[in-house]
Amino acid sequence: MLTVALLQLAPEPTDYLTRGTKACRQAAAMGADIALFPEMWNVGYKSNGTPDFWGHYRSPGQWGDDEAPDLAPVWADLAISVDSDFVRQFQALARELDMAIAVTFLEDGPRNSVALIDRHGEIVLKYSKVHTVAASPHESSLVPGDEFPVATLDTRNGEVVVGAMICYDREFPESARALMLAGAELILTPNACDIEINRLSQFRARAFENMVAVAMANYAGPWMGHSVAYDGIAFTDDDSRDMLVVEAGEREGIYPAVFDLDALAEYRGQEIHGDSFRRPSAYGSLVYPAVREPFVRVDRDGRLPRR
């Protein structure tokens, strides 16, 4: 059994290191093997008083000058390195607690990143968000990642192959599929947006179609919350089953998600989803780089997102 603690925390106040440390200690006391933070925890996914970070999606020619703030200098001032004191203190905390920590931060670049620290204090995986929301002022200046790596994580309950996707990544089936093809058994998903029935159903589908366990930690608050986990086991010998492990409400809290990895391994060894009967030779259009109408969108500078 593996326990992932979903740290559903509010983005205020601003002392993210202290509050994050406290949350990790609570997670360890609850028996967690992994503590998972929401997206860009070191800044609470805020940009120091600049306009609403959700922004508005636009088609070419629809941006107004007052609607497209240039946040690149703001992000540059807030960004930290993977060798920063912020990350290093969570490395020390992971060693102390004998617990893995998936800590998120605005990384130099700037990039939207997560570092998975094992229980020995070593960073075994660093992932940067591939699908940045280029149509939003708050993400148009972020540098997207370019791969979906996985790592074998040593826990007190054995090894598990882990990957990560961040927020908007989960809205693309290719993200979870690439991680499944790389061997992921568990996908950690830091998040920072409203979670409603459609996104919950979508996230459940990522677990179902790839036969992987998925765990999402979101910020607490109105229209937010609903940190959730699905175990990836959609069927038993007799019937279909609910894959839901835990779903939080909107309130702040630590929500343990307990996964039976042995049961998942057995299921993955006999069911027909995942990579069993894919036909990649028919999927050429999936890597076609051009964007066709009606899907053309641009960033704040009027540019198509980089492919």
Side-chain angles (χ1 to χ4, degrees), residues 1-293:
M1 308 300 287
L2 181 85
T3 301
V4 180
L6 311 179
L7 308 184
Q8 183 165 292
L9 306 173
E12 298 292 350
T14 57
D15 192 355
Y16 297 107
L17 178 60
T18 299
R19 296 181 65 235
T21 298
K22 180 180 178 181
C24 285
R25 292 190 183 283
Q26 291 175 320
M30 299 167 75
D33 298 290
I34 306 171
L36 174 62
F37 279 94
E39 185 177 5
M40 284 212 290
W41 175 249
N42 76 306
V43 294
Y45 207 144
K46 289 183 177 295
S47 52
N48 287 2
T50 54
D52 176 16
F53 70 80
W54 301 118
H56 301 281
Y57 303 106
R58 293 290 185 267
S59 297
Q62 289 188 334
W63 281 112
D65 291 339
D66 60 340
E67 293 181 303
D70 182 5
L71 298 182
V74 178
W75 285 140
D77 288 342
L78 295 173
I80 61 176
S81 76
V82 71
D83 296 322
S84 64
D85 287 343
F86 182 85
V87 176
R88 287 181 180 276
Q89 291 194 53
F90 282 106
Q91 289 181 263
L93 184 63
R95 282 193 297 271
E96 176 193 339
L97 299 177
D98 195 31
M99 178 187 71
I101 299 174
V103 63
T104 59
F105 57 105
L106 176 63
E107 185 183 10
D108 289 336
R111 292 178 183 268
N112 184 338
S113 299
V114 56
L116 178 60
I117 304 164
D118 70 13
R119 65 194 181 102
H120 311 293
E122 300 297 323
I123 296 175
V124 296
L125 176 74
K126 186 177 76 67
Y127 167 72
S128 295
K129 187 176 185 178
V130 168
H131 298 99
T132 56
V133 188
S136 166
H138 270 69
E139 288 209 359
S140 64
S141 59
L142 294 178
V143 177
D146 54 15
E147 61 178 345
F148 289 98
V150 301
T152 300
L153 180 68
D154 170 53
T155 78
R156 294 186 301 267
N157 290 309
E159 294 184 341
V160 57
V161 182
V162 181
M165 54 187 183
I166 297 176
C167 199
Y168 192 42
D169 282 329
R170 59 177 162 62
E171 301 198 13
F172 295 84
E174 296 88 350
S175 305
R177 179 118 304 183
L179 289 166
M180 177 275 292
L181 291 173
E185 301 167 272
L186 169 66
I187 300 176
L188 302 175
T189 309
N191 203 77
C193 74
D194 55 321
I195 294 296
E196 38 67 59
I197 186 60
N198 296 298
R199 289 190 172 107
L200 287 171
S201 300
Q202 183 184 64
F203 196 55
R204 181 193 294 266
R206 299 294 167 261
F208 166 68
E209 63 201 8
N210 294 294
M211 296 195 293
V212 294
V214 295
M216 179 204 304
N218 198 24
Y219 283 99
W223 303 103
M224 303 283 280
H226 296 280
S227 297
V228 69
Y230 300 100
D231 64 16
I233 303 174
F235 300 104
T236 64
D237 292 337
D238 301 322
D239 204 353
S240 65
R241 61 182 293 275
D242 188 348
M243 296 184 296
L244 180 66
V245 177
V246 65
E247 180 186 346
E250 295 180 348
R251 302 179 68 174
E252 191 170 47
I254 313 297
Y255 298 89
V258 181
F259 298 99
D260 186 337
L261 294 183
D262 289 338
L264 178 60
E266 181 179 358
Y267 177 74
R268 286 163 64 94
Q270 63 188 24
E271 260 296 345
I272 63 172
H273 307 293
D275 196 26
S276 299
F277 295 103
R278 291 191 321 117
R279 297 197 175 182
S281 62
Y283 306 155
S285 61
L286 294 180
V287 293
Y288 185 70
V291 182
R292 301 187 181 98
E293 293 290 357

